[in-house]
Amino acid sequence: MTTTDADSVLAEARPRQRSRIDSSAAISVVDLFTIGIGPSSSHTVGPMRAALMFMEVLPEQPKNVTCELFGSLALTGHGHATDTAILLGLSGERPETADPETIAPQIAEIRKAQVIRFGDWSVPFVEDRDLLFHKGVFLEQHSNGMRFTAQMADGSEIVREYFSVGGGAVLGGDAIADASSGGGKIGHNLVQPLPFSSGAEMLSQGEETGLCIATLVMRNEAAWRPQAETEAFLDDVIDAMNASIDRGMKQEGMLPGGLKVRRRAKAIHARLRAGQEGMQPAAVFEWVSLFALAVNEENAAGGRVVTAPTNGAAGVIPAVLRYYRKFVPGADREGERQLLLTAAAIGFLYKKRASISAAEMGCQGEVGVACSMAAAGLAAVLGGTNQQVENAAEIGMEHNLGLTCDPIGGLVQIPCIERNTMGAVKAINAAYLALQGDGRHIVSLDAVIETMRQTGEDMASRYKETSLGGLAVNVVEC
Ligand code: SF4
């Protein structure tokens, strides 16, 4: 698409309001880290959930179902596998349990038969007619909008609009849908023992109680479930993150989508293993980059990854977690849990005070937020004080401000895969930089989150997951 085409598409775009989560709402760690499939939390995981939610509200088998996609979902939905996600969701699949190995034949069958099967129901579905990409049209509430319509046997229609607001969470009507496999549910009336909605409140809760940030989060999680269950959830997330690294390091060949991006993780892994004897000066960073690369290649291939806090940025936290395990003496499972809980505390603040949706914030809201979260988590397990942890999170975002989202071909591949390697390395640097100080610093985490929010609002739509600007229009697809 040329720049002129892009201008005309955007000129038609109606002004949009942000749909931020109420800052007083309680968010659980299970809302932030969810095990799902790639390539995108907002464009794959969210739409799959929305399609399933719609089918579940229907009282009986409909005569026909249609889905209309708006805004960023329409512009980059093909590259982000939104079409596949909608077909799967309408068929009753969930991101947590859909098997990446069987998705391709399942979709081929739906397209061949032109029928959606949902339990006992068989609903005619002709994709060209029933799945519509309204490019250049935005619903007012959010730039990731979906409208589902069912024609019922008695001639009536059931219509619902949903919004994929980032990290796999779906807003429909006035309720935030459960974005997790662990049943966290974002709670608007839930009472947490040690709530915080800003970095300043987080620090003052720590000061008053003498607790570290990870423990504050763990105490708050008790509002949903016993500690042992939260620990089991964290262990599943850690295992899933490691599994995505290990699987990614074994795969080779071309990524899907037509960009001809070759998977690199396996070859890099072989080279690094061969050179392990005499460690080169940059070897640690090469390992960290490899871990992130492996996860994001898996994500781009539609494999199983952990949304952390989004799929596009799914490699940053696992890479830093693996760095901790491989390179920090004394690293253990307790430390890994602490890293994730601390990272979650920071993620809550971005969700409450800004957004983690690239369609609203650009890539600063995805890779930038993941970098900030990972920096905080690492600073904590390296022995940082709460102030140093907050400083690490602030540094992690400060140097991602203004980062745009311009994926080539609408695919979560370029710049996304390498960008995660940068986010992971930057997070480690931010953690060590913060630990060099005493926690006192000029720019607070709250100030940098607010700056990210304002920058995201001011950013032209062409740089917010529309593939209408930046690299997406300056690199010729071959
Ligand atoms: S550029 Fe960043 S925000 Fe955009 S799709 Fe890629 S990883 Fe996500």
Side-chain angles (χ1 to χ4, degrees), residues 80 312-313 358 362-363 366-367 404-407 411-412 415-416 419-420 465:
H80 285 53
C363 200
E366 282 209 20
V367 170
T404 59
C405 170
D406 51 358
L411 296 161
V412 194
C416 321
R419 185 157 292 171
N420 276 258
E465 211 164 9

Side-chain angles (χ1 to χ4, degrees), residues 194-207 216 353 446:
L194 301 165
F196 55 86
S197 296
S198 67
E201 286 175 14
M202 177 180 78
L203 288 178
S204 87
Q205 288 284 22
E207 224 158 87
L216 291 178
R353 305 181 72 79
D446 290 333

Side-chain angles (χ1 to χ4, degrees), residues 11 29 37 44 60 106 134 145 153 158 176 200 208 221 232 276 284 300 321 334 337 365 386 427 458 472:
V29 67
I37 57 168
T44 317
E60 60 193 35
Q106 211 175 335
H134 293 305
I158 296 176
I176 297 274
E208 280 169 28
E221 291 297 310
Q276 235 170 358
V284 172
L321 190 74
E334 199 43 53
R337 291 176 187 155
N386 287 353
D458 290 343

Side-chain angles (χ1 to χ4, degrees), residues 41-47 73 142-146 162-171 357 359:
S41 44
S42 56
H43 288 53
T44 317
V45 175
L73 291 179
H142 193 277
S143 43
N144 286 334
M146 292 160 273
Y162 298 95
F163 303 93
S164 182
V165 297
V170 176
L171 189 67
S357 163

Side-chain angles (χ1 to χ4, degrees), residues 36-310:
I37 57 168
S40 168
S41 44
S42 56
H43 288 53
T44 317
V45 175
M48 196 188 301
R49 287 199 172 111
L52 176 60
M53 287 162 69
F54 179 68
M55 294 303 276
E56 286 177 337
V57 300
L58 301 180
E60 60 193 35
Q61 177 173 323
K63 276 181 13 195
N64 171 254
V65 170
T66 59
C67 171
E68 298 166 84
L69 301 173
F70 298 91
S72 172
L73 291 179
L75 290 166
T76 62
H78 280 117
H80 285 53
T82 308
D83 46 354
T84 303
I86 295 289
L87 297 183
L88 290 171
L90 292 175
S91 305
E93 293 284 359
R94 296 173 193 279
E96 299 82 8
T97 49
D99 180 357
E101 301 293 327
T102 62
I103 286 174
Q106 211 175 335
I107 294 296
E109 174 55 28
I110 293 170
R111 286 178 172 152
K112 187 166 159 227
Q114 299 194 322
V115 169
I116 293 284
R117 295 188 204 289
F118 180 78
D120 298 339
W121 300 351
S122 293
V123 185
F125 195 88
V126 181
E127 204 169 332
D128 288 346
R129 181 194 68 196
D130 297 326
L131 180 54
L132 303 170
F133 289 70
H134 293 305
K135 294 189 178 180
V137 183
F138 289 74
L139 297 180
E140 283 190 4
Q141 295 90 329
H142 193 277
S143 43
N144 286 334
M146 292 160 273
R147 182 184 299 139
F148 293 87
T149 306
Q151 307 283 343
M152 307 308 288
D154 64 1
S156 64
E157 268 189 358
I158 296 176
V159 183
R160 291 282 187 284
E161 287 182 354
Y162 298 95
F163 303 93
S164 182
V165 297
V170 176
L171 189 67
D174 55 5
I176 297 274
D178 185 357
S180 69
S181 52
K185 282 204 190 301
I186 293 168
H188 292 270
N189 299 310
L190 195 117
V191 180
Q192 293 178 308
L194 301 165
F196 55 86
S197 296
S198 67
E201 286 175 14
M202 177 180 78
L203 288 178
S204 87
Q205 288 284 22
E207 224 158 87
E208 280 169 28
T209 58
L211 299 174
C212 70
I213 292 167
T215 307
L216 291 178
V217 175
M218 186 58 104
R219 296 271 174 97
N220 285 337
E221 291 297 310
W224 282 280
R225 70 195 82 77
Q227 182 168 329
E229 284 181 27
T230 300
E231 286 173 351
F233 168 78
L234 292 171
D235 290 349
D236 285 347
V237 167
I238 292 163
D239 292 344
M241 286 179 169
N242 280 317
S244 64
I245 292 174
D246 293 334
R247 214 172 30 247
M249 292 194 301
K250 291 196 186 97
Q251 311 300 321
E252 54 192 345
M254 218 75 88
L255 289 170
L259 256 191
K260 298 190 184 143
V261 174
R262 195 169 285 285
R263 295 179 77 136
R264 289 176 281 175
K266 185 177 178 184
I268 295 174
H269 187 214
R271 273 202 299 277
L272 288 177
R273 281 173 59 121
Q276 235 170 358
E277 294 303 306
M279 283 265 278
Q280 297 302 308
V284 172
F285 292 122
E286 288 187 284
W287 277 102
V288 171
S289 293
L290 164 64
F291 299 147
L293 206 71
V295 175
N296 287 87
E297 287 181 352
E298 273 299 282
N299 181 59
R304 170 106 31 241
V305 297
V306 178
T307 302
T310 66

